[in-house]
Amino acid sequence: EDQVTQSPEALRLQEGESSSLNCSYTVSGLRGLFWYRQDPGKGPEFLFTLYSAGEEKEKERLKATLTKKESFLHITAPKPEDSATYLCAATTGGFKTIFGAGTRLFVKA
Amino acid sequence: GAVVSQHPSRVICKSGTSVKIECRSLDFQATTMFWYRQFPKQSLMLMATSNEGSKATYEQGVEKDKFLINHASLTLSTLTVTSAHPEDSSFYICSAAKYGGSYNEQFFGPGTRLTVL
């Protein structure tokens, strides 16, 4: 069964304290692994797409990496405005997109 | 850009009434649009996939007669919740895949909060 699991459920960091969010996936024929940011009461905002193991992408304080079983979203020196829920999603060979439950990130000043 | 809008952003209705939610791609044509619902502190659950000019494909467990989807053009899809009940209260989010772009990349609308009294 296709599955996407994110950990931890919630993460509390001090401003400047770098960390990583994990997304483990089991899907048939991965077509793409996506990271989104979602603020409360809003739709997800696209961050990254990764297509193959070994691929990395960066945007400001965020860096996404991909292996054959998982993806990491690294946050370097986070700021309070990085507080949000980060969603991981995988599109299967059958073009179905499955979302993880998300990691709620809280960054304290 | 790739901007998707939804209207309304919030709606409160009485049990038994129908509610229509619009999803528009503002600056691109969308081959495919997706409808999701999201419960508090939970992830997005795909309800249906719609392609312009054809019938929507519903996920298992989603009642097609209750959640009517119309994808009338390459920039507009509507979701109608018919005979709404309190258990239909949720956050409904649409997304769109660009025509000519990657099917995989979806751009999300801001969501519609539905509350059924």
Side-chain angles (χ1 to χ4, degrees), chain A residues 31-32 34 36 38 41-44 46 49 51 87 91 95-97 99-101 104, chain B residues 36 38 41-44 46 59 91 93 102-111 113:
Chain A
R31 291 190 177 273
F34 303 86
Y36 294 89
Q38 186 176 25
K42 297 187 178 180
F46 173 77
T49 310
Y51 290 104
L87 298 171
T91 297
F95 292 103
K96 185 166 289 188
T97 299
F99 279 83
R104 286 179 287 136
Chain B
Y36 295 85
Q38 186 177 34
K41 297 184 181 179
Q42 293 187 27
S43 193
L44 283 72
L46 179 66
E59 294 300 301
F91 193 50
I93 306 176
S102 169
Y103 180 99
N104 301 326
E105 288 193 34
Q106 298 178 35
F107 300 92
F108 285 84
R113 173 77 57 194

Side-chain angles (χ1 to χ4, degrees), chain B residues 57-97:
Chain B
T57 302
Y58 290 81
E59 294 300 301
Q60 193 172 8
V62 178
E63 298 176 58
K64 61 178 70 176
D65 294 331
K66 180 165 186 63
F67 298 100
L68 301 179
I69 292 172
N70 186 324
H71 194 154
S73 73
L74 284 172
T75 60
L76 173 65
S77 177
T78 60
L79 168 68
T80 302
V81 183
T82 62
S83 187
H85 290 284
E87 57 264 31
D88 298 324
S89 299
S90 188
F91 193 50
Y92 291 86
I93 306 176
C94 74
S95 70

Side-chain angles (χ1 to χ4, degrees), chain A residues 22-35:
Chain A
N22 177 266
C23 171
S24 297
Y25 64 92
T26 308
V27 301
S28 52
L30 180 74
R31 291 190 177 273
L33 189 292
F34 303 86
W35 283 97

